[in-house]
Structure formats: structure tokens, C-alpha cells
């Protein structure tokens, strides 16, 4: 990670896209952050503004674009699984888009509390009981938890969600994401989010 930003500067690159684990590690080396990147606490795009190398985060806006493109709403109650940079970006974007509430559910509660506090969301443990208590009114679930949390996500009862709820799995690389075949659930893979964050990054 230490060589990424110097390489962009030295090689005169117009910009760069980053993914985990570099999204948070480069922050101290940049000249500034966009408001979206500040709220997310991570960057996935580096671009020049004049002579300053700025970090941006298009993950949250890309998620919003993908959900709307699928005909689903983002203004209701939302559950975001995970508390890393993607989860923070998605949670912040949902709140900015008018979500009634956003709750981050994470296996490590202290990290979930910290991430939620940073964006003005609520937090809870990533457990079946916590999910069940919140799922009844959740119109949208976005799984931003990493692959190592797949078993914890599979343990959640997605049938507790209201009919017509939307589930987005940001882990577009998973061949068999949890809850893909849950009846009555609009399931979106992370490919839509990947596409739209890339479009915004390119712009």
C-alpha cells in the first residue's frame, strides 16, 4: 500500500481505482478527500484536482444507482451487514438519499458502533436474533460483510423480511451468495453496484 500513491504521482497517472485492502491504507498519503470519502472513511478512486491528488468513494452512490435501476426504493428502513469501508459508504449514501433509518450489523460490535457513529447510523450485532428483531420493517438489506462472514450471514432468516424487500449482495464474486433464492425477496447481485461505482469513478 505504501507505494500506490507515490506511483500515481511519479508515473503521472490521471487516476486510479482501488479495492480492499488498499481503500483505507492510502488515506494519509492523499492531499484531500471528497465528502463521500470522508464519511466512508475509505477511497476507491484517486483523481487529480489541479495539483492535488484527491480520494473519492463512489461505492455508496453506485449502490443507490443500482437499487433504483432495479426499480427498488432506498427511502425505507435499511440494514447494512458489515462495518468496513464499503458498509460505511453504503450506509452514508442511504442516509443522504433519504432512508428512514440505517442500522449496521457487524460481528464485532465495537467496530460496528464506531462505524455507525461516524455516519450517523444505528448499530447492532450480526446475529440471527438481532436481525430478526429489525427485519420486520426493513425494506432493504445490503450485505457488505466479507466472505469470512458468509456463515454468519447464511444463519440469518431472510424470510423475516417483508414481502417485496430487496437484498443486495455487494460481494459480486461469490458464486452462491446467501439468500439468493429466498421467496418473495428481490435479490440483486453486486454486479450492478460494481458497474455503477465504476461508471461514476470513470467520470
Amino acid at each position: 500500500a505504501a507505494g500506490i500513491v507515490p506511483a500515481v504521482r511519479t508515473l503521472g497517472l490521471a487516476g486510479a481505482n482501488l479495492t480492499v485492502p488498499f481503500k483505507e491504507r492510502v488515506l494519509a498519503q492523499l492531499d484531500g478527500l471528497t465528502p463521500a470519502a470522508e464519511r466512508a472513511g475509505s477511497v476507491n478512486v484517486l483523481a487529480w484536482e489541479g495539483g492535488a491528488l484527491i480520494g473519492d468513494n463512489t461505492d455508496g452512490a453506485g449502490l443507490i444507482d443500482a437499487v433504483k435501476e432495479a426499480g427498488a426504493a432506498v427511502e425505507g428502513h435499511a440494514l447494512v451487514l458489515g462495518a468496513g469501508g464499503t458498509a460505511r459508504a453504503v450506509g452514508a449514501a442511504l442516509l443522504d438519499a433519504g432512508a428512514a433509518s440505517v442500522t449496521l450489523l457487524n460481528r464485532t460490535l465495537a467496530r460496528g458502533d464506531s462505524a455507525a457513529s461516524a455516519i450517523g447510523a444505528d448499530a447492532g450485532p450480526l446475529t440471527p436474533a438481532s436481525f430478526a428483531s429489525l427485519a420486520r420493517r426493513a425494506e432493504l438489506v445490503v450485505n457488505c460483510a466479507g466472505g469470512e462472514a458468509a456463515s454468519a450471514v447464511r444463519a440469518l432468516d431472510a424470510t423475516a423480511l417483508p414481502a417485496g424487500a430487496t437484498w443486495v449482495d455487494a460481494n459480486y464474486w461469490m458464486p452462491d451468495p446467501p439468500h439468493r433464492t429466498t421467496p418473495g425477496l428481490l435479490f440483486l447481485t453486486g454486479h450492478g453496484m460494481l458497474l455503477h461505482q465504476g461508471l461514476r469513478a470513470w467520470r
Side-chain angles (χ1 to χ4, degrees), residues 1-2 4-5 17-30 33 36-46 55-57 59 82-90 104 106 111 114-115 118 144:
I4 292 175
V5 172
N17 281 85
L18 304 177
T19 189
V20 291
F22 306 114
K23 290 182 173 184
E24 298 174 18
R25 295 181 183 178
V26 302
L27 295 179
Q29 301 176 34
L30 299 174
L33 301 174
E38 286 182 357
R39 292 196 73 190
S42 67
V43 300
N44 69 328
V45 183
L46 306 182
D56 194 8
N57 192 308
D59 284 333
T86 302
R88 279 182 55 168
V90 165
L104 305 186
N106 197 55
R111 187 178 187 207
S114 176
C144 300

Side-chain angles (χ1 to χ4, degrees), residues 8-165:
V8 172
R9 297 182 190 276
T10 301
L11 296 174
L13 301 182
N17 281 85
L18 304 177
T19 189
V20 291
F22 306 114
K23 290 182 173 184
E24 298 174 18
R25 295 181 183 178
V26 302
L27 295 179
Q29 301 176 34
L30 299 174
D31 299 321
L33 301 174
T34 66
E38 286 182 357
R39 292 196 73 190
S42 67
V43 300
N44 69 328
V45 183
L46 306 182
W48 294 96
E49 291 185 8
L53 188 57
I54 304 298
D56 194 8
N57 192 308
T58 63
D59 284 333
L63 180 280
I64 299 294
D65 291 343
V67 171
K68 288 183 175 179
E69 183 177 66
V74 297
E75 296 84 9
H77 298 281
L79 301 178
V80 177
L81 312 183
T86 302
R88 279 182 55 168
V90 165
L94 287 169
L95 289 169
D96 290 345
S101 71
V102 172
T103 303
L104 305 186
L105 300 181
N106 197 55
R107 290 177 299 165
T108 305
L109 190 53
R111 187 178 187 207
D113 285 338
S114 176
S117 176
I119 63 172
D122 300 315
L126 182 58
T127 62
S130 178
F131 181 84
S133 70
L134 296 166
R136 291 187 298 272
R137 66 171 190 165
E139 292 96 336
L140 175 65
V141 178
V142 185
N143 178 25
C144 300
E148 68 279 1
S151 60
V153 175
R154 288 186 194 281
L156 306 178
D157 181 11
T159 64
L161 294 163

